[in-house]
Amino acid sequence: MGSIDLTREGDIAVVTINNPGKRNAMTDDMWRQMPAVMGEIDGDASILATVLTGAAGAFCAGADISGLDELHHTERPSNAENAIAASPKPVIAAIEGSCFGGGVQMAVACDLRVAGASATFSTPPARLGIVYPVSATQRMLHIMGVAATKEMLYTAVRYDAQRALAVGLLNRVVDDGSALETALEMARGMGELSQLTIHASKEIVDGLTRRDLSAETAIAWVGRANDGPDLAEGIAAFQERRAPRFTWRPE
């Protein structure tokens, strides 16, 4: 039936798209599960970052075609996408194998994307006569620009990992089978840095991208930094030539 599985690697949440018999295609129930899983992560202060991956050597082949007609008339895929994007914590996609349609929709909702060298990417709605979600299209535009977004949507072309890296869809390409561990290493590195800076940066970057960042939001983060423990610790660690020990956590 497929599931969205949540496990932990220390203070990192690992969310696994698990429907390997269909290359992790998303069923209706899996789309329903994703917001609940992301809500659980967002509500757990001990989790600092999330890695989104797929089971058995594939990321996600899109929506399960057997339920495509029903899904085309619902908001569940967009709800799942938005739940990933709205997490205040960094989310890294670890991609192996196929990343098609709804897989791309979830991948572009993540903050960073790492892929194995043989990964492939495609948005095939033009082969099905459906309209790709506006929210995902907007994210593709922000990440890849107009030319690559139009090429993927107009032609249903498949990008290999190097082409996806060249157009900005990916942050890194790594050896096949190592995307998950690379993403976990990135998340662990983030865990050693100032969580205040990371949370502020995510809200500010996303707000600037959407063009709805308010001056009050930016000023509030500067105030939290000035009043919080991480700024003093960062300065002290720099002066003492040691690794900082940041302690700020969101309320």
Side-chain angles (χ1 to χ4, degrees):
M1 294 294 292
S3 61
I4 303 298
D5 301 336
L6 174 60
T7 56
R8 289 188 62 150
E9 293 279 342
D11 53 17
I12 304 165
V14 179
V15 177
T16 303
I17 306 164
N18 189 1
N19 190 11
K22 294 189 175 182
R23 290 184 298 166
N24 301 322
M26 293 287 286
T27 65
D28 183 54
D29 190 51
M30 292 167 72
W31 288 119
R32 291 178 188 270
Q33 290 176 42
M34 184 64 78
V37 169
M38 294 306 302
E40 183 176 345
I41 292 168
D42 294 346
D44 188 336
S46 68
I47 293 174
L48 302 185
T50 302
V51 173
L52 177 64
T53 192
F59 185 70
C60 174
D64 185 347
I65 197 71
S66 64
L68 189 60
D69 183 64
E70 178 185 356
L71 284 170
H72 179 55
H73 299 286
T74 75
E75 296 299 317
R76 285 189 280 278
S78 292
N79 290 342
E81 171 201 340
N82 291 330
I84 295 166
S87 177
K89 305 171 185 185
V91 184
I92 306 171
I95 302 166
E96 302 280 359
S98 304
C99 182
F100 301 156
V104 172
Q105 184 177 2
M106 291 185 287
V108 297
C110 298
D111 298 293
L112 302 172
R113 286 155 294 278
V114 180
S118 296
T120 53
F121 303 82
S122 177
T123 51
R127 297 186 187 278
L128 300 165
I130 63 175
V131 177
Y132 203 57
V134 173
S135 54
T137 302
Q138 184 175 35
R139 297 185 207 285
M140 290 170 65
L141 279 170
H142 289 318
I143 292 167
M144 302 189 301
V146 173
T149 299
K150 286 185 174 181
E151 182 181 34
M152 290 191 78
L153 292 174
Y154 291 7
T155 69
V157 66
R158 288 192 182 185
Y159 281 175
D160 61 21
Q162 288 299 327
R163 175 63 174 158
L165 179 67
V167 299
L169 180 57
L170 296 177
N171 295 91
R172 296 188 191 179
V173 174
V174 297
D175 292 339
D176 286 335
S178 62
L180 176 57
E181 184 52 41
T182 301
L184 288 169
E185 289 176 1
M186 293 172 70
R188 293 184 191 109
M190 292 176 190
E192 296 175 357
L193 303 175
S194 168
Q195 298 305 300
L196 185 146
T197 299
I198 291 172
H199 280 241
S201 297
K202 178 161 185 174
E203 186 167 357
I204 291 169
V205 170
D206 288 350
L208 289 170
T209 301
R210 296 189 305 265
R211 298 185 179 181
D212 64 1
L213 178 70
S214 67
E216 291 78 8
T217 296
I219 291 169
W221 276 115
V222 172
R224 291 188 191 105
N226 290 337
D227 296 338
D230 282 8
L231 178 58
E233 169 61 14
I235 293 172
F238 178 80
Q239 292 174 338
E240 297 166 13
R241 298 184 179 181
R242 60 172 174 81
R245 296 181 291 273
F246 294 117
T247 58
W248 182 91
R249 295 293 183 270
E251 295 178 358

